[in-house]
Amino acid sequence: MSVLCAVRTARADISRIFSAQPIQFLHCPGVRSMAADKELLMKLRKKTGYSFSNCKKAVEKFNSDLQQAETWLHEQAHKEGWSKASKLQGRKAKEGLIGLLQDGSSAVLVEVNCETDFVARNVKFQQLVQQTAIATMTHYHSKRANATDYAKSSLTTEEITQLKTSLNSCSLADQLALAIGKLGENMAIRRAAWVAVPSNWHIGTYVHGVLPADNPSLEKVKFGKYGALVIYRPLEQNLKVNLSELGRRLGQHIVGMTPLSVGSMEDPPGDDTETKMLAQPFLLDPGTTVGQFLQTSGVSVLDFVRYECGEVIEMAEKV
């Protein structure tokens, strides 16, 4: 056989080998494994929200077992969050947000603090505020059960953080630690207030310094630096007054004029230093008092709650 024939024969043999086993070369187990791991990694990251590197570490640690990897990630996040929370505990957290949630005849105000306004605008921080408001509302709904009278209550930091959230039934204390671990600032769930009214009463709501929700899931909660709930009722039926707008205006007054009590209709008119609401000059019409405005409107104010982010608690407790 000539050299040329030998070369042609070798080429033919090689060609037959490649043509006979195309699948082996195009779909080898290593390629399939890499594609599967990448898909699993993206699924885990989307589901948990943790970093790419941590998700990759979890996938490798548990040989691509998604459930074990997710459980481990949550455990590590809690450990790291609590550790960071402990380290940052002494740092001042006077910024943050007031969260307001209304659900029919009941409403909630909460205050959650952080160190900077930058973090207050972060969606993850706003989610913590939302979880706090929803957990508070759920807690009181379970207690109220068919009650028909006016109810008002408040929770301290210690009481709020023990409430369960809708996220895997975790406590707010756990969610707080996770947020601290992710955002790297000291935070505190400071307080919460809840009110519920009978069917013929109304709750006016107002939030000042409103921050728009960057996420559609946050739209039920209003965020701001100041918030007010005002409890009022019409003195007669079929009033020609927009009761919802009236409640918003009263909320504006409470935020702007900082009353410490409702007061009495018999209180003499006061000036800008007056702390009884009914005797104060009405914010939107300083020529008349709040009491006079309510008389012409046919409405009676019974109570209110005012929150200011970072305010001195002793002042807030007099309300």
Side-chain angles (χ1 to χ4, degrees):
M1 182 184 293
S2 67
V3 174
L4 181 59
C5 289
V7 170
R8 286 175 178 171
T9 302
R11 285 178 178 173
D13 290 341
I14 293 171
S15 178
R16 282 196 299 272
I17 292 171
F18 274 89
S19 61
Q21 298 180 343
I23 296 176
Q24 181 177 345
F25 284 87
L26 294 176
H27 301 282
C28 63
V31 173
R32 288 200 302 271
S33 178
M34 287 173 62
D37 283 350
K38 185 176 180 181
E39 183 180 349
L40 184 65
L41 183 58
M42 297 307 295
K43 184 177 181 180
L44 184 62
R45 188 163 189 263
K46 184 177 181 181
K47 187 175 183 181
T48 64
Y50 297 122
S51 69
F52 181 88
S53 59
N54 282 334
C55 289
K56 185 172 183 293
K57 186 177 180 180
V59 168
E60 292 172 350
K61 183 179 179 68
F62 294 99
N63 297 319
S64 300
D65 187 311
L66 181 64
Q67 187 172 355
Q68 288 190 38
E70 183 181 349
T71 301
W72 181 80
L73 278 171
H74 288 312
E75 290 174 352
Q76 292 302 112
H78 277 82
K79 289 178 183 177
E80 292 174 10
W82 280 111
S83 175
K84 187 167 287 187
S86 179
K87 291 177 182 177
L88 300 178
Q89 195 170 17
R91 286 167 37 173
K92 293 182 179 179
K94 292 187 177 181
E95 294 295 330
L97 288 173
I98 303 300
L100 190 156
L101 174 64
Q102 186 167 16
D103 182 11
S105 61
S106 59
V108 162
L109 271 183
V110 300
E111 179 183 356
V112 183
N113 301 120
C114 56
E115 295 181 46
T116 65
D117 189 57
F118 177 78
V119 163
R121 295 176 180 275
N122 187 286
V123 171
K124 285 184 171 57
F125 180 81
Q126 293 175 6
Q127 287 172 337
L128 176 63
V129 180
Q130 179 194 51
Q131 290 164 17
T132 302
I134 293 174
T136 302
M137 182 72 79
T138 302
H139 169 72
Y140 279 113
H141 273 183
S142 66
K143 283 177 164 290
R144 185 164 168 77
N146 302 322
T148 57
D149 54 341
Y150 171 55
K152 175 183 178 182
S153 188
S154 61
L155 293 172
T156 63
T157 296
E158 292 74 18
E159 292 168 330
I160 306 168
T161 52
Q162 298 309 308
L163 299 181
K164 300 292 185 181
T165 71
S166 57
L167 298 176
N168 302 320
S169 296
C170 290
S171 69
L172 280 172
D174 285 340
Q175 292 302 316
L176 176 63
L178 282 170
I180 291 173
K182 288 181 178 180
L183 298 176
E185 281 196 5
N186 189 25
M187 300 176 196
I189 300 175
R190 193 181 191 195
R191 52 181 170 159
W194 168 83
V195 296
V197 298
S199 59
N200 59 328
W201 293 24
H202 299 268
I203 304 173
T205 64
Y206 180 71
V207 174
H208 186 73
V210 177
L211 292 179
D214 296 328
N215 189 311
S217 67
L218 299 172
E219 290 178 354
K220 290 184 178 180
V221 177
K222 296 178 181 177
F223 304 101
K225 296 297 183 181
Y226 305 82
L229 307 175
V230 54
I231 315 305
Y232 60 102
R233 63 183 177 88
L235 296 175
E236 55 187 83
Q237 294 183 347
N238 303 317
L239 285 178
K240 295 181 179 180
V241 175
N242 184 329
L243 290 173
S244 177
E245 176 62 18
L246 184 141
R248 191 183 72 84
R249 292 181 178 183
L250 291 173
Q252 279 183 294
H253 175 90
I254 291 165
V255 164
M257 295 297 289
T258 323
L260 299 181
S261 64
V262 174
S264 165
M265 295 297 284
E266 281 72 45
D267 293 327
D271 57 19
D272 288 345
T273 64
E274 178 62 61
T275 61
K276 295 177 182 178
M277 179 181 174
L278 297 179
Q280 289 180 325
F282 185 37
L283 181 68
L284 304 181
D285 183 9
T288 185
T289 66
V290 174
Q292 291 165 347
F293 168 73
L294 292 174
Q295 277 186 321
T296 59
S297 301
V299 171
S300 174
V301 168
L302 303 150
D303 201 359
F304 66 88
V305 180
R306 180 188 185 276
Y307 272 12
E308 177 179 340
C309 190
E311 70 182 327
V312 178
I313 283 287
E314 287 76 14
M315 180 179 178
E317 289 177 344
K318 293 179 183 178
V319 174

